Structure formats: C-alpha cells, structure tokens
Coordinates of all heavy atoms in Angstrom, one line a residue:
L211 N 121.8 75.8 94.7 CA 120.7 75.3 95.6 C 120.1 76.4 96.4 O 118.9 76.3 96.6 CB 121.5 74.3 96.6 CG 121.9 73.0 96.0 CD1 122.8 72.2 97.0 CD2 120.8 72.1 95.4
D212 N 120.9 77.4 96.8 CA 120.3 78.5 97.5 C 119.3 79.3 96.6 O 118.2 79.6 97.0 CB 121.2 79.6 98.0 CG 122.1 78.9 99.3 OD1 121.6 78.0 99.9 OD2 123.2 79.4 99.4
V213 N 119.7 79.4 95.2 CA 118.8 80.1 94.4 C 117.5 79.4 94.1 O 116.5 79.9 94.1 CB 119.6 80.4 93.0 CG1 118.6 80.9 92.0 CG2 120.7 81.4 93.3
A214 N 117.7 78.1 94.0 CA 116.5 77.2 93.8 C 115.5 77.2 94.9 O 114.5 77.4 94.8 CB 117.0 75.8 93.4
R215 N 116.2 77.3 96.1 CA 115.3 77.4 97.4 C 114.6 78.7 97.4 O 113.4 78.7 97.8 CB 116.3 77.1 98.7 CG 115.6 77.4 100.0 CD 116.3 77.2 101.2 NE 117.7 78.0 101.1 CZ 117.7 79.4 101.3 NH1 116.5 80.0 101.7 NH2 118.8 80.0 101.2
E216 N 115.2 79.8 97.1 CA 114.7 81.0 97.2 C 113.5 81.2 96.2 O 112.6 81.8 96.5 CB 115.7 82.2 97.0 CG 116.7 82.4 98.2 CD 117.8 83.3 98.0 OE1 117.6 84.1 97.0 OE2 118.8 83.2 98.7
V217 N 113.8 80.8 95.0 CA 112.8 80.7 94.0 C 111.5 80.1 94.3 O 110.3 80.5 94.3 CB 113.3 80.2 92.6 CG1 112.2 80.1 91.6 CG2 114.2 81.1 92.1
E218 N 111.7 78.8 95.0 CA 110.6 78.0 95.4 C 109.8 78.7 96.6 O 108.6 78.7 96.5 CB 111.1 76.7 95.8 CG 110.1 75.5 96.1 CD 109.2 75.2 94.9 OE1 109.9 75.2 93.7 OE2 108.0 74.9 95.0
Q219 N 110.7 79.1 97.5 CA 110.0 79.9 98.6 C 109.2 81.2 98.1 O 108.1 81.3 98.6 CB 111.0 80.3 99.6 CG 111.6 79.1 100.4 CD 112.7 79.7 101.4 OE1 113.2 80.8 101.3 NE2 113.0 78.9 102.4
A220 N 109.7 81.8 97.2 CA 109.1 83.0 96.7 C 107.7 82.7 96.0 O 106.6 83.3 96.1 CB 109.9 83.8 95.6
Q221 N 107.7 81.5 95.3 CA 106.5 81.0 94.6 C 105.4 80.6 95.6 O 104.3 81.0 95.4 CB 106.9 79.8 93.6 CG 107.6 80.2 92.4 CD 108.0 79.0 91.5 OE1 107.1 78.6 90.7 NE2 109.0 78.4 91.7
S222 N 105.9 79.8 96.7 CA 105.0 79.4 97.7 C 104.4 80.7 98.4 O 103.2 80.7 98.7 CB 105.7 78.6 98.8 OG 106.2 77.4 98.1
N223 N 105.2 81.8 98.6 CA 104.7 82.9 99.3 C 103.6 83.6 98.3 O 102.6 84.2 98.9 CB 105.7 83.9 99.6 CG 106.5 83.4 100.7 OD1 106.1 82.6 101.5 ND2 107.9 83.8 100.9
V224 N 103.8 83.7 97.1 CA 102.9 84.1 96.1 C 101.5 83.4 96.3 O 100.4 84.0 96.3 CB 103.4 84.2 94.7 CG1 102.3 84.6 93.7 CG2 104.5 85.2 94.6
I225 N 101.6 82.0 96.1 CA 100.5 81.3 96.2 C 99.7 81.4 97.6 O 98.4 81.5 97.5 CB 100.8 79.7 96.0 CG1 101.4 79.6 94.6 CG2 99.6 78.8 96.2 CD1 102.0 78.2 94.3
D226 N 100.5 81.4 98.6 CA 99.9 81.6 100.0 C 99.0 82.9 100.1 O 97.9 82.9 100.5 CB 100.9 81.6 101.0 CG 100.4 81.9 102.4 OD1 99.8 81.0 103.0 OD2 100.6 83.1 102.8
A227 N 99.7 84.1 99.6 CA 99.0 85.3 99.6 C 97.8 85.3 98.7 O 96.7 85.8 99.0 CB 100.0 86.4 99.2
E228 N 97.9 84.7 97.5 CA 96.8 84.5 96.6 C 95.7 83.8 97.3 O 94.5 84.3 97.2 CB 97.3 83.8 95.5 CG 96.5 84.0 94.2 CD 97.2 83.4 92.9 OE1 97.9 82.4 93.2 OE2 97.1 83.8 91.8
E229 N 95.9 82.8 98.0 CA 94.7 82.0 98.6 C 94.1 82.8 99.8 O 92.9 82.7 100.1 CB 95.3 80.7 99.0 CG 95.7 79.7 98.0 CD 96.3 78.4 98.4 OE1 96.6 78.4 99.6 OE2 96.5 77.5 97.6
R230 N 95.0 83.5 100.4 CA 94.6 84.4 101.6 C 93.6 85.5 101.1 O 92.7 85.8 101.8 CB 95.7 84.8 102.5 CG 96.3 83.7 103.3 CD 97.2 84.4 104.4 NE 98.5 84.7 103.8 CZ 99.0 86.1 103.9 NH1 98.1 86.9 104.3 NH2 100.1 86.4 103.3
I231 N 94.0 86.0 99.9 CA 93.2 87.1 99.4 C 91.7 86.6 99.1 O 90.7 87.3 99.4 CB 93.8 87.8 98.1 CG1 95.0 88.4 98.4 CG2 92.8 88.6 97.3 CD1 95.9 88.9 97.2
Q232 N 91.6 85.4 98.5 CA 90.4 84.9 98.1 C 89.5 84.6 99.3 O 88.4 84.9 99.4 CB 90.6 83.6 97.3 CG 91.2 84.0 95.9 CD 91.6 82.7 95.2 OE1 91.4 81.5 95.6 NE2 92.3 82.8 94.1
A233 N 90.2 84.1 100.5 CA 89.6 83.8 101.6 C 89.0 85.0 102.4 O 88.1 85.1 102.9 CB 90.5 82.9 102.5
A234 N 89.9 86.0 102.4 CA 89.7 87.3 103.0 C 88.5 88.1 102.3 O 87.7 88.7 103.1 CB 90.9 88.2 103.0
Q235 N 88.4 87.9 101.0 CA 87.3 88.6 100.4 C 86.0 87.9 100.7 O 85.0 88.8 100.9 CB 87.6 88.6 98.8 CG 88.7 89.4 98.4 CD 89.1 89.3 96.9 OE1 88.7 88.3 96.2 NE2 89.8 90.3 96.4
V236 N 86.0 86.6 100.8 CA 84.7 86.1 101.3 C 84.4 86.5 102.7 O 83.2 86.7 103.0 CB 84.9 84.5 101.3 CG1 83.6 83.7 101.9 CG2 85.1 84.0 99.8
A237 N 85.5 86.6 103.6 CA 85.2 87.0 104.9 C 84.7 88.4 105.1 O 83.9 88.7 105.9 CB 86.5 86.8 105.8
V238 N 85.2 89.2 104.2 CA 84.7 90.7 104.2 C 83.3 90.7 103.8 O 82.5 91.4 104.5 CB 85.6 91.5 103.3 CG1 84.9 92.8 103.0 CG2 86.9 91.7 103.9

C-alpha cells in the first residue's frame, strides 16, 4: 500500500510540474 501510494504521488507530482511549466511559459 505504501509503494502504491508513493507511485501515485510521484505521478501526480510529475503531472503537476508539467502543467506548471506550460502555464509558466505562457506567463514568461
């Protein structure tokens, strides 16, 4: 369960950073 949680959190963090990159590039 801990491994599954960490994998899911890691994927969410990748998606979050990915979306912030796109928004930041527009802002720049």
Side-chain angles (χ1 to χ4, degrees):
L211 290 174
D212 288 341
V213 168
R215 173 181 54 80
E216 291 176 12
V217 170
E218 190 63 31
Q219 287 179 343
Q221 292 181 84
S222 297
N223 290 335
V224 170
I225 294 171
D226 173 76
E228 204 171 26
E229 293 174 348
R230 285 193 288 116
I231 289 172
Q232 296 171 1
Q235 289 174 342
V236 173
V238 168

